[in-house]
């Protein structure tokens, strides 16, 4: 596998992102700080020990299960599976790599099926995926024809999961799909460069949601498209839920607006053509514990007597997908 840092530097240079390129060494050092993340050396070692793979392979990035067909012997497949399991829990997917099926906590393909029909054609577009986890949706964006995909997420575990998948995908598609272990704060101010920006499952973790929306807008070129997916509640344009210490067992959930309120926020932030393209209750079939994510999941976070509520008594998770544009 090529050096991911070297490939990232080359990609930023090729894309004309020299100003951001100058910051990459510091951002990578902070995001992959071995002193801060005690498990990081083990994740790094697991990826490094993945064996060389045959050049003959076929990557299916436009399939619901991101798949790489490559011939592995039985012992090689067992070795790869053991190493991939060292990176668990796997939350976003699913993947099938060399005959190894990674059954992730989230059926992220279901979300993609709901949003994909409403997207601008991604062919040739430069795409930013904010809070992209292991990069599942980033690979789907590449499979849809994006010319450059950058996944950002501050979790180093997700970074190494992405690199493990990248090892299987091989050189053909990795030159245009990259991962930087940072949050959106690391994106240069007023970049105005990406054609499409995705922010999925992030907004409710932000104590200042309008600040996040302004930052997303600043990443987009004039006329660019924002895809925003987040937790919402039912209500009118004034309805916003501010949970207590926890929501569905999550400690860092702040504002849950109604979808109508969220559309109003986006308009106040200067977006236009704002529309809700999907809204649905999250089911325990879409988010669940698996052999690759053995911790508690959604079913454990709902009221056992009333699954329409969380165990704290709030409305059960409902998610909306909203698409908007930065004015030209």
């Amino acid at each position: 596998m090529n050096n991911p840092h070297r490939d990232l530097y080359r990609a930023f240079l090729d894309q004309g992102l020299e100003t951001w390129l100058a910051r990459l060494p510091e951002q990578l050092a902070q995001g992959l700080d071995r002193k801060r993340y005690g498990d990081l050396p083990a994740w790094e070692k697991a990826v490094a020990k993945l064996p060389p793979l045959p050049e003959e392979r076929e990557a299916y990035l436009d399939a619901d299960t991101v798949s790489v067909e490559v011939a592995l012997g039985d012992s090689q497949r067992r070795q790869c599976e053991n190493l991939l399991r060292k990176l668990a829990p796997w939350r976003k997917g699913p993947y099938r790599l060399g005959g190894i099926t990674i059954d992730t906590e989230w059926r992220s393909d279901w979300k993609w099926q709901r949003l994909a029909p409403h997207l601008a054609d991604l062919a040739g577009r430069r795409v930013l995926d904010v809070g992209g986890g292991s990069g599942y949706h980033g690979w789907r964006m590449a499979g849809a024809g994006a010319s450059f995909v950058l996944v950002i997420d501050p979790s180093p575990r997700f970074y190494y999961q992405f690199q493990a998948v990248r090892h299987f995908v091989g050189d053909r598609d990795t030159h245009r799909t990259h991962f930087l272990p940072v949050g959106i704060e690391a994106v240069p101010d007023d970049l105005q460069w990406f054609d499409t920006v995705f922010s999925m499952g992030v907004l409710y973790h932000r104590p200042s949601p309008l600040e996040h929306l302004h930052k997303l807008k600043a990443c987009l070129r004039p006329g660019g498209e924002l895809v925003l997916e987040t937790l919402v509640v039912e209500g009118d344009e004034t309805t916003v839920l501010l949970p207590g210490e926890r929501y569905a067992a999550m400690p860092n959930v702040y504002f849950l607006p109604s979808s109508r309120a969220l559309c109003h926020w986006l308009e106040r932030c200067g977006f236009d053509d704002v529309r809700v393209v999907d809204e649905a209750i999250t089911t325990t079939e879409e988010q669940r514990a698996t052999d690759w994510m053995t911790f508690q999941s959604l079913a454990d976070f709902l009221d056992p007597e009333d699954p329409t509520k969380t165990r704290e008594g709030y409305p059960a998770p409902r998610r909306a997908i909203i698409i908007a544009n930065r004015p030209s």
Side-chain angles (χ1 to χ4, degrees):
M1 182 175 67
N2 291 338
N3 184 311
H5 293 181
R6 182 187 64 204
D7 292 347
L8 184 65
Y9 295 146
R10 183 186 298 121
F12 271 52
L13 186 61
D14 291 345
Q15 294 293 328
L17 291 168
E18 290 89 350
T19 300
W20 195 351
L21 176 64
R23 305 181 188 182
L24 286 187
E26 180 182 1
Q27 291 181 349
L28 284 164
Q30 291 178 350
L32 302 175
D33 185 345
R34 298 167 74 91
K35 294 181 180 179
R36 181 179 179 187
Y37 301 104
D39 291 331
L40 190 151
W43 302 330
E44 182 180 56
K45 184 178 180 181
V47 174
K49 290 181 69 176
L50 287 168
L53 302 177
E55 290 298 321
E56 289 292 324
R57 70 188 83 174
E58 191 66 40
Y60 299 94
L61 306 182
D62 58 349
D64 286 343
T65 299
V66 169
S67 302
V68 180
E69 297 298 331
V70 57
L72 300 178
D74 290 343
S75 62
Q76 199 175 39
R77 185 177 293 108
R78 286 194 297 270
Q79 179 190 10
C80 287
E81 180 168 347
N82 288 337
L83 292 168
L84 291 169
R85 286 186 180 278
K86 291 183 183 298
L87 303 174
W90 287 78
R91 297 192 179 275
K92 293 186 179 181
Y95 298 99
R96 183 170 173 81
L97 308 174
I100 303 162
T101 299
I102 302 177
D103 187 15
T104 50
E105 177 186 18
W106 279 93
R107 287 297 306 265
S108 305
D109 53 317
W110 294 8
K111 184 181 298 185
W112 187 258
Q113 290 167 7
R114 293 195 294 267
L115 68 87
H118 307 283
L119 293 175
D121 186 356
L122 291 181
R125 290 171 79 94
R126 302 170 298 189
V127 181
L128 177 67
D129 185 11
V130 179
S134 65
Y136 170 85
H137 288 117
W139 293 116
R140 295 300 302 270
M141 295 162 198
S147 62
F148 177 79
V149 178
L150 180 63
V151 180
I152 61 173
D153 195 298
S155 167
R157 186 194 301 272
F158 294 152
Y159 172 83
Y160 286 107
Q161 289 177 350
F162 175 89
Q163 299 305 337
V165 176
R166 186 179 189 270
H167 178 78
F168 281 85
V169 171
D171 294 338
R172 193 192 73 175
D173 294 288
T174 55
H175 70 283
R176 58 194 174 97
T177 312
H178 303 272
F179 192 115
L180 185 59
V182 299
I184 194 172
E185 298 82 6
V187 180
D189 292 338
D190 204 26
L191 188 65
Q192 297 192 49
W193 189 81
F194 289 97
D195 301 302
T196 305
V197 171
F198 290 80
S199 173
M200 299 191 291
V202 176
L203 185 68
Y204 51 87
H205 291 311
R206 312 298 296 192
S208 301
L210 296 188
E211 181 180 328
H212 182 67
L213 297 179
H214 279 296
K215 186 68 175 180
L216 295 171
K217 180 184 173 188
C219 295
L220 283 165
R221 64 161 174 81
E225 182 174 80
L226 171 67
V227 181
L228 182 68
E229 188 266 3
T230 189
L231 290 170
V232 295
V233 293
E234 294 183 285
D236 62 21
E237 67 175 19
T238 66
T239 303
V240 182
L241 171 64
L242 178 61
E245 291 186 4
R246 290 180 181 268
Y247 171 85
M250 292 184 287
N252 56 341
V253 174
Y254 296 96
F255 296 92
L256 276 63
S258 69
S259 57
R260 291 175 61 186
L262 186 50
C263 288
H264 181 57
W265 291 2
L266 286 160
E267 291 165 351
R268 288 290 303 269
C269 290
F271 287 92
D272 62 16
D273 195 19
V274 179
R275 64 268 189 205
V276 179
V277 300
D278 184 79
E279 184 171 338
I281 295 288
T282 303
T283 69
T284 53
E285 288 76 36
E286 184 172 359
Q287 183 190 9
R288 71 275 192 267
T290 73
D291 190 39
W292 290 80
M293 203 303 291
T294 57
F295 302 105
Q296 289 186 324
S297 190
L298 178 59
D300 303 291
F301 307 147
L302 300 177
D303 183 337
E305 303 298 326
D306 183 0
T308 67
K309 296 180 180 179
T310 69
R311 66 189 192 186
E312 300 89 359
Y314 301 117
R318 168 186 293 268
R319 290 176 176 264
I321 300 171
I322 297 178
I323 295 180
N325 292 88
R326 177 170 182 157
S328 300

